Amino acid sequence: MRRIRNLMLVLALVLAGGATSAQVLAEVALAPAIASQLFPPVSWPSGSLRAVGADADALIARLPGNAEWRDWEVYTATGLAATLEPALTYGVERDLLVQGLFRSETTTTTVGAERHTRVVFSDGANQRALLYVIRSGHELIWLVARGR
């Protein structure tokens, strides 16, 4: 991990310049921080949008095929933060890509007033991850899990 971190920092210094340097450095610093976690494949900074408790467990229980996955993490955003859906889901996909997992399956369904998007990532061998996004009005919920 240390080699990856050092390589990314050198890359950031080479690429950084002008107004973009802070953004590049922040992205480069975030990737090793995420990669250093034991699980999940994706992790947000402490105190971020992570949801825990009975409501999160109930949400996981209602998802089709939830028994195929483990190590669930649930995140939520409402109001203005929910409009950042493309950026938030891109961040998850980027972090999974860094771990060698590529998008292998995407399905979108409508359940009542909610839009459900299920994205499965795979390394082509035995490692899998799931990104499940639920969008309803001004509420966004995304779940990340690892395959059993």
Side-chain angles (χ1 to χ4, degrees), residues 36-67:
S36 71
Q37 302 291 323
L38 293 176
F39 185 83
V42 177
S43 179
W44 300 102
S46 176
S48 67
L49 307 170
R50 186 161 185 201
V52 294
D55 290 338
D57 294 337
L59 180 64
I60 293 166
R62 78 176 208 179
L63 298 181
N66 65 22

Side-chain angles (χ1 to χ4, degrees), residues 21-44:
S21 64
Q23 179 183 355
V24 171
L25 188 56
E27 288 177 1
V28 169
L30 182 60
I34 291 169
S36 71
Q37 302 291 323
L38 293 176
F39 185 83
V42 177
S43 179
W44 300 102

